Amino acid sequence: MQSLAEIRHRLRLALNAPAFWDRSRLWEVWRQAAPASHVVVAAAAIGAAGSVAAALLAVQDMAKDVQDWRRAAVAADVPLPVVQRRPPDPKQISDVVAALSAAYPDVMVKPSGAELTVAVGNAEKLAAFRAAVQRLQVLDPSIRWQVSMLCAGKECPNLAQMTAQGTVVEFQIEKGKKGR
């Protein structure tokens, strides 16, 4: 390891040499005069600066790509569908009630406006109750049943063994309009 005095002496000799000011020899003179740890630190700093520059160029390129995608999306102006929820037509509810009553005579199906109650008075009719509730979900593709109460046993009102009560909602999907 070189002492600080030796490094200073070598730098003075190098700076006084006429060849020091020749740029091709500048790196060589500095490398000979400086200890190895300084060379490593300088090389690491140069490498870090190069890495940062490369990262900035990559980010700039990505930002350009994102801007191009945005411009393409705005130019395409694809309309999005609009989903509307509204109370169903009373005829739809009566059709659902008639279909369920015909398919499952042991199950009581009672409409009340947009509310619908499905119930059985005996636990032996569980299979019919379960099938009626499942069929209610898929009977009409434009309506959905949102369950608000589901009970079994002593918790059920009106001496029913199993009850499912919910609201019927109609969904309508319309095409979106261009020109947001």
Side-chain angles (χ1 to χ4, degrees):
M1 179 116 194
Q2 296 177 352
S3 70
L4 187 58
E6 290 176 0
I7 294 172
R8 283 184 188 155
H9 177 68
R10 291 178 108 189
L11 276 175
R12 273 191 214 113
L13 290 177
L15 289 174
N16 291 331
F20 174 76
W21 301 107
D22 180 15
R23 287 186 177 207
S24 61
R25 290 202 13 108
L26 184 61
W27 172 253
E28 188 64 31
V29 169
W30 182 79
R31 195 175 63 82
Q32 288 176 359
S37 63
H38 292 170
V39 173
V40 169
V41 169
I46 291 169
S51 298
V52 168
L56 288 175
L57 288 174
V59 168
Q60 181 183 10
D61 188 48
M62 285 188 249
K64 183 183 170 291
D65 289 345
V66 169
Q67 286 177 348
D68 292 344
W69 294 339
R70 183 188 165 282
R71 284 188 196 110
V74 168
D77 196 24
V78 177
L80 298 175
V82 178
V83 178
Q84 292 183 343
R85 296 173 62 172
R86 60 182 182 204
D89 185 30
K91 184 177 181 335
Q92 280 182 307
I93 293 178
S94 63
D95 290 346
V96 167
V97 169
L100 284 176
S101 297
Y104 307 101
D106 295 336
V107 177
M108 180 195 72
V109 181
K110 180 181 164 193
S112 174
E115 294 277 324
L116 195 62
T117 303
V118 179
V120 292
N122 190 343
E124 294 171 357
K125 298 174 184 170
L126 171 65
F129 173 76
R130 188 180 64 218
V133 171
Q134 287 175 343
R135 185 156 182 203
L136 180 60
Q137 294 290 337
V138 296
L139 199 57
D140 188 345
S142 66
I143 63 171
R144 292 289 175 257
W145 191 44
Q146 296 175 337
V147 177
S148 59
M149 181 187 71
L150 183 64
C151 65
K154 296 177 183 177
E155 298 174 2
C156 291
N158 301 329
L159 301 175
Q161 284 290 324
M162 286 167 264
T163 303
Q165 186 176 6
T167 306
V168 180
V169 179
E170 181 179 5
F171 283 89
Q172 184 176 6
I173 300 175
E174 297 176 356
K175 289 185 178 181
K177 297 176 184 174
K178 285 193 172 193
R180 299 172 208 156

